[in-house]
Amino acid sequence: MGIVTPGFGGRPRAETPDLPPGQYLTSDFPVLSAGPTPRVPQESWEFVITTETGAEYRWSWAEMMALPQQTPTVDIHCVTRWSKFGTSWQGVSLDTLLDEVETAADYALAHSYGGYTTNLPLDDLRDGQAWLVHTYDGEDLPAEHGGPARLLVPHLYFWKSAKWVRGIRLGFEDTPGFWETAGYHDYGDPWREQRYSGD
């Protein structure tokens, strides 16, 4: 006879339509990384967008900070099933950066200090959907959460919001990044539970 534990239903889940399927709410901010945490001084940080033709568009820390700033408040969803509501950030919209870039590309490969990469359709970085953020909850973004700057793409699972980001390479082909090569979903929509390849 099987063992049954009456009343056990797994981790409690908030009853809210804003929570994607399979997720649970957390009030803290778990730290998950694929490797060691890079320590990048602001004075040596730069962000580079490289187009499909090899043209490069560069911003130093001071140049990035001089651009128009936005303060998005968004919900974030990790593939490991935690979600955090109402997170507050400050940074530059990717629209602002891409407005300076001449490209016909369809895809982007974000790459980070430390070697991490993740791929996204370029359309998912446009139209107010993504930011290059440097501040979390009113404070400089800590290194363990991706500081000095990270991508913020909150409509996708959080591994797509690359920590310690240093640039984006644009192209016509969708090149898998670190976790995508390891079997994670190529797109990563939390509302469709696209956690792993084939979901």
Side-chain angles (χ1 to χ4, degrees):
M1 185 172 93
I3 298 174
V4 177
T5 304
F8 178 74
R11 187 183 292 270
R13 187 183 148 171
E15 295 297 325
T16 169
D18 297 327
L19 195 63
Q23 298 291 110
Y24 68 89
L25 283 176
T26 184
S27 59
D28 57 3
F29 196 165
V31 175
L32 302 171
S33 301
T37 298
R39 306 287 173 174
V40 185
Q42 293 177 358
E43 57 270 20
S44 61
W45 178 93
E46 70 170 357
F47 185 77
V48 183
I49 296 179
T50 306
T51 73
E52 67 277 13
T53 66
E56 293 185 341
Y57 299 78
R58 295 176 177 270
W59 294 265
S60 67
W61 185 264
E63 290 167 336
M64 184 267 290
M65 294 296 288
L67 294 171
Q69 303 287 309
Q70 295 185 0
T71 54
T73 297
V74 297
D75 303 336
I76 55 177
H77 311 289
C78 183
V79 71
T80 60
R81 300 189 180 273
W82 61 263
S83 291
K84 186 173 177 63
F85 284 176
T87 62
S88 298
W89 309 81
Q90 181 177 325
V92 177
S93 171
L94 262 289
D95 291 316
T96 300
L97 301 175
L98 290 167
D99 280 348
E100 299 187 27
V101 175
E102 184 176 337
T103 182
D106 299 310
Y107 297 101
L109 183 68
H111 52 99
S112 301
Y113 292 94
Y116 180 79
T117 57
T118 191
N119 56 305
L120 308 98
L122 185 54
D123 283 348
D124 284 84
L125 299 180
R126 297 187 184 274
D127 299 324
Q129 298 183 92
W131 296 264
L132 177 62
V133 294
H134 52 77
T135 300
Y136 173 72
D137 204 19
E139 303 287 341
D140 287 348
L141 184 62
E144 62 267 26
H145 287 305
R150 73 178 296 160
L151 280 186
L152 177 64
V153 191
H155 66 284
L156 301 178
Y157 280 125
F158 211 42
W159 91 79
K160 295 290 186 177
S161 294
K163 295 181 177 182
W164 316 298
V165 69
R166 67 182 303 174
I168 295 172
R169 180 172 293 276
L170 306 179
F172 295 114
E173 296 188 7
D174 193 11
T175 303
F178 178 86
W179 285 118
E180 295 82 10
T181 301
Y184 278 50
H185 198 277
D186 194 55
Y187 185 62
D189 183 345
W191 295 97
R192 290 186 281 172
E193 284 200 89
Q194 292 177 335
R195 303 177 194 275
Y196 306 108
S197 178
D199 285 351

